[in-house]
Amino acid sequence: MQTQPFEAAIFDLDGVIVDTAKFHYKAWKRLAGELGFAFSESENEQLKGVSRMESLDLLLRAGGITEVTTERREVLASRKNEWYKEYLATLTPADVLPGVYDFLGQLHSRGIKTAIASASKNAPLILEKVNIRPLFDVVVDGNTIVRAKPDPEVFLQAARLLDVAPAACFVFEDAAAGVEGAIRAGMRVAGIGDARLLARAHLTVTSFEQLNPVSLLSYIGVTGFTGWGDCANEQ
Ligand code: B16
Ligand code: MG
């Protein structure tokens, strides 16, 4: 079991810090509608955490559309992104997910470093809209990485910039691809969302409101994993 002390918390952005995952779904569904097929929320689950172009390919495959030229793929992806950015225009600091500010505050007061590790090229815009960038030491996003999740690159780059060993990092992720990437990076990972979809995570919660940083710290730094009850808030 892990004995390395917990020195850094690395957060996914879409669906963990801000509820932008719903905007991605709305925009992909709109594109599917234009292309003449329905796109369900469960099909959308596969798109979470993966890159924009990979998401497009998964969407097209779900609609049975094959043999699309590179030019057409670019047009479709940027069409979706324009709609997505329209939805992002409505974001305000009130859209930061419940429990996030409190959790970050508790980490900072204990000297834990913090980073964002997102696949999104829109991450700088989102962070600016909700005014939360100052609460993170480091941001690594889709503009700086080459390989998308489940590749561990984004997490390893965050750890490098924070100057913390991967084994001393704890990741918070809402997507199966991100959970896998964090595991491949040699990090511990909490799934935020449906435990059935994030089964590979070391623990799963539905929201930060359920996480007690004090228990989490002792879990990471001192004890081994003995179950979710270790980290759940008592209330
Ligand atoms: P963009 P995350 C990911 O962000 C999203 O989960 C995923 O649905 C999206 O396709 C990807 O960013 C790329 O986003 O089109 O804005 O560049 O969850 O890694 O913060
Ligand atoms: Mg996400």
Side-chain angles (χ1 to χ4, degrees), residues 69-220:
T69 63
T70 307
E71 292 73 21
R72 177 86 176 128
R73 283 172 74 242
E74 292 292 343
V75 169
L76 293 174
S78 71
R79 201 165 166 70
K80 178 266 173 178
N81 196 50
E82 286 312 308
W83 291 328
Y84 177 62
K85 285 200 292 189
E86 264 173 40
Y87 306 145
L88 290 183
T90 65
L91 276 184
T92 72
D95 291 299
V96 170
L97 284 162
V100 167
Y101 285 119
D102 188 39
F103 191 65
L104 284 170
Q106 297 211 46
L107 292 173
H108 289 147
S109 70
R110 289 169 177 81
I112 304 292
K113 295 178 181 175
T114 53
I116 290 283
S118 169
S120 177
K121 290 183 159 61
N122 292 300
L125 171 68
I126 295 167
L127 292 168
E128 188 203 312
K129 293 288 292 178
V130 301
N131 194 25
I132 204 169
R133 173 64 186 86
L135 298 187
F136 297 95
D137 299 305
V138 157
V139 173
V140 183
D141 62 36
N143 298 294
T144 47
I145 55 160
V146 178
R147 293 175 299 277
K149 300 168 188 175
D151 190 281
E153 183 186 5
V154 70
F155 299 111
L156 291 173
Q157 206 177 117
R160 226 175 0 254
L161 292 171
L162 289 170
D163 197 21
V164 171
C169 296
F170 205 94
V171 173
F172 299 88
E173 255 293 347
D174 72 320
V179 167
E180 186 59 34
I183 289 171
R184 288 191 204 170
M187 299 175 181
R188 309 290 280 183
V189 53
I192 312 289
D194 187 334
R196 287 164 304 176
L197 303 172
L198 304 170
R200 296 260 295 144
H202 296 100
L203 63 102
T204 315
V205 290
T206 52
S207 118
F208 280 101
E209 288 175 306
Q210 276 192 332
L211 272 179
N212 174 347
V214 181
S215 307
L216 185 62
L217 282 169
S218 72
Y219 154 53
I220 307 296

Side-chain angles (χ1 to χ4, degrees), residues 12-16 18 20-21 48-49 117-119 149 172-175:
D12 175 58
L13 179 61
D14 288 328
V16 168
V18 192
T20 38
K48 285 188 181 172
S118 169
K149 300 168 188 175
F172 299 88
E173 255 293 347
D174 72 320

